[in-house]
Amino acid sequence: MSSTSSSPGSVRSAAVVNAEIRALWSRTDGALSPADEARYQDLLVEWAAAVRDALVKAA
């Protein structure tokens, strides 16, 4: 599992986070353990932040 710790204001791109989400689902064959579910939820929050960041930059 890759680290997602980053400095405040530093956001990975939505595409990078999406790739990690896809890898998580692929690795677990769609059956998430409680730890994987927690990781998935963290990734969803990070993905949403990346999308917001991209929209703000585009505006």
Side-chain angles (χ1 to χ4, degrees):
M1 216 178 286
S2 67
S3 172
T4 59
S5 59
S6 58
S7 59
S10 175
V11 178
R12 296 188 298 167
S13 74
V16 168
V17 179
N18 188 42
E20 192 169 338
I21 291 169
R22 288 176 181 270
L24 174 66
W25 280 104
S26 177
R27 186 182 80 245
T28 63
D29 291 326
L32 300 179
S33 70
D36 289 331
E37 177 66 27
R39 178 71 185 130
Y40 175 64
Q41 294 299 323
D42 290 343
L43 288 168
L44 286 179
V45 170
E46 185 180 359
W47 177 83
V51 169
R52 278 191 307 273
D53 186 60
L55 289 173
V56 168
K57 287 179 181 175

